[in-house]
Amino acid sequence: MNNCRISNKKLIKIFDFNKQPLGNGFLQKKDFNKEYFFEMKVGFCNTSKMFQLNYQPNPNKMFHKNYAFFSSTSKLMKMHFKKFYEELIKHKALKKQNPFIIEIGSNDGIMLENFSKNKFKHLGVEPSLNVAKIARSKSINTMVDFFNNKSAKKIKEKYGKADLIYAANVICHIPNIKNLFFNIHKILDKNGIFVFEDPYLGDVIKKTSYDQIYDEHVFLFSLHSVKYLSSIFNLKLIDAKHQETHGGSMRYYIAHANSYKPKSIINRILSKERTIGINNSKNFKNFQININRSKKDLVKLLKKLKKQGKTIAGYAATSKSTTILNYCKIGTDLIDYISDTTLDKQNKFTPGAHIPVKSYEYFKKNIPDYAVLFAWNHSKEIFKKEKLFKKNGGKWIIFVPNVKII
Ligand code: SAH
Ligand code: TYD
């Protein structure tokens, strides 16, 4: 697709990552020869201000009964969602009798468990059966489906309108975003709020964290794009809060156009976005240069260390790492294995690059000289956990915002 999913105008080319596999497509050796690849390119639309993939693989290829991402693997994310729950329940939209809360992309229930434990009327909409089953085992009311016209209609008929619709790290996955906003408008109560958070384009540009670009992330939002999109559907961006999660995210608060008054922070962030230039395609030149430099620096460093006979492993087989490994063409010649705590990824191989994924216990028994931190967004949690690795002479390689050894 070469046209904007919102304005239908031609996308301006930003970057071409060539052939890429599915970010979460961990696989077995026997499936190597039938692995799926697609041309990954990103473009920008100067009308909608949306940064987006030109082409996104079919959602059924990515979200299914064996989805590899389990939200609750991170303790810090659990805390993040608990804190957020505590903020949300104070909002005016929930100050009524028996408010109804919907979460889109509720995964294993990391956020909704807060509402469910406190007896809120709630519903999770989650298409990936394996993670939805975990949520259900925690008594979280979950509909196994994509959020779309059909499921939105079903929800409205069965439960009525929602007072809060919440989504984390999923709206950026949904290609038919016009349809999503249309349905939000339909099922959101007149005083309700729609709150979502996703990796923020401003952070990706600032930190050259181009690993946030992969099949699932069809969009990287900014206030400019979210404001534009909301206005088409008679909705309004009323508040925004920057988050440290996932390497820098933005939380957007949206409501019906004539309900809540927008906070002044909106104009302040919009003005900042104009200063950093993420509102116009002509300002992405440096981003392109920085991606190329990051690739060159990382490959050069890994090759140098390998030549010196050092052992190098990867820490955390994230979906983000799929872009890095495939774009930089890093394979088992440079990285021996990647350790990950997710059972479903272990003893498989990384998408495209085919580096073996090992358990965390394996990492403990096969401590490398250097570990490439692919879950750099969880560095606080990981550095705390891995004090001994460092103490025993182990070194971290990070690549965001710059390639360096620490
Ligand atoms: N909210 C969680 C999970 C993010 S991963 C967190 O922040 O940790 C994205 C989740 O959204 C996956 O579980 C995926 O199956 C789900 N998803 C993808 N497309 C969806 C859609 N159209 N509707 C609802 N959920 C979707
Ligand atoms: P995340 O950055 O959320 O992944 P993604 O890029 O896929 O969105 O990182 C989650 C992955 O990192 C998950 O596979 C588990 C792994 N992980 C570890 O192996 N150890 C850890 O200490 C943490 C926090 C994550």
Side-chain angles (χ1 to χ4, degrees), residues 94-101 119-122 163:
L94 296 193
K95 294 280 170 229
K96 67 187 272 199
Q97 245 199 350
N98 205 17
F100 174 43
I101 292 110
K119 308 270 175 279
F120 279 91
K121 180 178 161 192
H122 67 273
D163 299 290

Side-chain angles (χ1 to χ4, degrees), residues 24 59 62-64 67 69-72 77 80-81 103-111 124-132 143 145-148 151 166-175 180 197-198 214 216-217 246:
N24 268 313
M62 301 180 285
F63 312 113
H64 42 60
Y67 186 55
F69 181 80
F70 295 74
S71 300
S72 298
M77 286 310 287
H80 167 79
F81 286 123
E103 181 175 357
I104 302 173
S106 42
N107 200 276
D108 59 12
I110 188 168
M111 172 66 167
V125 187
E126 172 51 65
S128 300
L129 180 65
N130 58 336
V131 291
M143 178 180 194
D145 210 339
F146 288 95
F147 182 76
N148 53 25
S151 56
Y166 170 75
N169 308 304
V170 58
I171 301 303
C172 68
H173 291 42
I174 303 179
L180 180 125
E197 59 187 50
D198 276 299
Y214 56 94
E216 294 179 17
H217 291 176
H246 289 291

Side-chain angles (χ1 to χ4, degrees), residues 69 246 315-316 318-320 340-342 345 377-378 382 385:
F69 181 80
H246 289 291
Y315 195 100
T318 58
S319 39
K320 290 186 294 295
D340 196 284
T341 51
T342 312
K345 294 182 186 176
N377 47 312
H378 296 293
I382 292 171
K385 194 161 92 182

Side-chain angles (χ1 to χ4, degrees), residues 74-346:
S74 165
K75 283 198 187 104
L76 276 189
M77 286 310 287
K78 267 194 160 180
M79 276 158 59
H80 167 79
F81 286 123
K82 175 127 200 292
K83 236 170 82 194
F84 184 40
Y85 156 80
E86 279 156 7
E87 182 211 305
L88 279 174
I89 54 171
K90 291 190 196 117
H91 197 280
K92 244 187 172 162
L94 296 193
K95 294 280 170 229
K96 67 187 272 199
Q97 245 199 350
N98 205 17
F100 174 43
I101 292 110
I102 298 174
E103 181 175 357
I104 302 173
S106 42
N107 200 276
D108 59 12
I110 188 168
M111 172 66 167
L112 269 187
E113 66 189 4
N114 297 297
F115 286 101
S116 127
K117 268 187 212 148
N118 291 296
K119 308 270 175 279
F120 279 91
K121 180 178 161 192
H122 67 273
L123 176 70
V125 187
E126 172 51 65
S128 300
L129 180 65
N130 58 336
V131 291
K133 272 188 178 160
I134 299 176
R136 280 180 171 166
S137 74
K138 295 192 267 188
S139 304
I140 294 163
N141 189 24
T142 309
M143 178 180 194
V144 182
D145 210 339
F146 288 95
F147 182 76
N148 53 25
N149 283 346
K150 222 167 100 200
S151 56
K153 188 163 172 260
K154 255 197 233 162
I155 296 169
K156 200 169 150 216
E157 278 165 12
K158 188 163 175 197
Y159 301 90
K161 289 192 173 186
D163 299 290
L164 164 67
I165 304 174
Y166 170 75
N169 308 304
V170 58
I171 301 303
C172 68
H173 291 42
I174 303 179
N176 198 345
I177 199 160
K178 275 173 97 169
N179 196 254
L180 180 125
F181 269 65
F182 171 77
N183 284 317
I184 295 283
H185 184 267
K186 261 188 160 168
I187 67 169
L188 188 68
D189 184 76
K190 65 181 192 319
N191 294 319
I193 48 167
F194 169 41
V195 188
F196 72 94
E197 59 187 50
D198 276 299
Y200 178 51
L201 180 62
D203 285 289
V204 172
I205 302 300
K206 191 166 103 193
K207 299 173 189 163
T208 320
S209 45
Y210 71 92
D211 55 347
Q212 286 291 5
I213 302 170
Y214 56 94
D215 58 341
E216 294 179 17
H217 291 176
V218 61
F219 300 115
L220 280 177
F221 300 117
S222 63
L223 260 68
H224 273 86
S225 56
V226 172
K227 187 175 175 229
Y228 180 86
L229 185 57
S230 307
S231 69
I232 304 178
F233 295 95
N234 214 13
L235 294 165
K236 201 174 220 162
L237 179 62
I238 55 165
D239 197 3
K241 289 181 187 164
H242 187 262
Q243 306 294 317
E244 288 310 315
T245 49
H246 289 291
S249 297
M250 190 63 82
R251 184 180 288 161
Y252 308 91
Y253 296 70
I254 290 161
H256 285 288
N258 51 6
S259 55
Y260 302 95
K261 208 174 136 225
K263 296 215 168 130
S264 56
I265 182 89
I266 302 279
N267 279 334
R268 285 208 298 279
I269 304 179
L270 284 170
S271 148
K272 219 166 134 192
E273 288 186 351
R274 283 189 288 271
T275 310
I276 52 174
I278 55 172
N279 61 331
N280 197 305
S281 59
K282 68 175 194 282
N283 301 321
F284 288 88
K285 287 269 171 310
N286 272 342
F287 184 51
Q288 296 156 353
I289 294 169
N290 291 341
I291 295 177
N292 284 323
R293 201 200 40 223
S294 173
K295 171 184 178 173
K296 225 169 98 194
D297 290 352
L298 182 62
V299 173
K300 199 169 136 195
L301 175 64
L302 294 179
K303 281 189 174 160
K304 187 178 101 187
L305 294 172
K306 207 69 197 175
K307 237 184 174 169
Q308 292 170 358
K310 305 289 185 200
T311 52
I312 310 171
Y315 195 100
T318 58
S319 39
K320 290 186 294 295
S321 67
T322 299
T323 299
I324 301 284
L325 296 170
N326 288 281
Y327 180 61
C328 300
K329 296 197 169 49
I330 296 168
T332 43
D333 51 331
L334 296 174
I335 292 184
D336 303 331
Y337 70 89
I338 303 184
S339 89
D340 196 284
T341 51
T342 312
L343 278 176
D344 277 35
K345 294 182 186 176
Q346 291 165 12

